[in-house]
Structure formats: structure tokens, C-alpha cells
Amino acid sequence: MGVFKTSLGVRAGNGGDIHWVEATVDTGATFTVLPASLLREQIGVHPTDTEVFTFADGSKQELQIGEARLRINGRERPSIVVFGAEGQFLLGATSLQNFGLVADTSRHHLVPADVLPL
């Protein structure tokens, strides 16, 4: 597991302005998590469902999810986002897979999945 930061663009699924955030690339996080207030009030993403998430400490919490468009390295794709707490900016594994990217934790940047030696 590795953690580092990257620039992440976020917009509503139906368009609108891109909002740029500094997100932590967390290879241990499944989904992308962004502050609920950012998603709802600034970007205009609306929750479409709720899911129960289990955290590393074993606790569980029901959180809202929705769909946003993410921009990474000049490419844009739809992605499921979790409505998180204030200050939570996590880029998770599912979004990275949608972009065909993996985290190069030794150099702290994202690379195409076929570039990283296995």
C-alpha cells in the first residue's frame, strides 16, 4: 500500500465547470471519497444511492454515493464517488482502474497500468 498526492479534476456527470483538488492517492481505498459539501454545493453532484462501508478499524458507516466525472492527466472519465467528511480527498483504486492507471509508490506518481513492472 502506498500514499501520495495528485491533482484531480472533478465535475458533475452532466457537465459544468471542473473543480481542481489535491487528492491523496490511496491504493488501500476502493472508492474515490470527496467532501459531501464540495460534491453537492460546489460541483452539483447528487447522491444516487447509499452503501455501507467497513473501515480499517472494523467500524461500519452508511454513506451516500453518486457519479461524477474525474479528470486525471488530461483524460476524463465517469466515476463513482463517495460523499465523505470535510477535508477527505481520496483517489481510490476503482477510479484508477477506470483510467487504466496504477500508483508508482516509489516515485509518487500515476503511470499507465502496462508500464509498471510486475
Side-chain angles (χ1 to χ4, degrees):
M1 197 163 45
V3 176
F4 59 91
K5 294 195 181 285
T6 192
S7 183
L8 175 66
V10 185
R11 77 165 87 212
N14 59 358
D17 294 334
I18 292 180
H19 292 261
W20 290 94
V21 300
E22 194 73 11
T24 299
V25 178
D26 185 348
T27 59
T30 302
F31 294 102
T32 294
V33 182
L34 297 168
S37 63
L38 171 75
L39 290 171
R40 279 192 195 101
E41 298 161 21
Q42 294 180 35
I43 299 174
V45 174
H46 302 287
T48 57
D49 206 349
T50 59
E51 292 284 337
V52 176
F53 293 92
T54 303
F55 297 92
D57 66 0
S59 66
K60 296 179 187 268
Q61 185 177 0
E62 186 175 65
L63 297 169
Q64 294 178 318
I65 61 171
E67 187 175 297
R69 292 193 61 83
L70 303 183
R71 181 175 282 272
I72 303 171
N73 296 341
R75 297 185 305 159
E76 192 171 304
R77 304 261 163 83
S79 185
I80 298 295
V81 291
V82 177
F83 288 67
E86 292 307 309
Q88 257 188 321
F89 296 90
L90 294 177
L91 177 58
T94 303
S95 296
L96 292 175
Q97 289 172 347
N98 287 344
F99 280 87
L101 296 170
V102 294
D104 181 344
T105 56
S106 62
R107 295 188 205 137
H108 296 128
H109 68 274
L110 301 173
V111 296
D114 62 343
V115 170
L116 193 65
L118 301 176

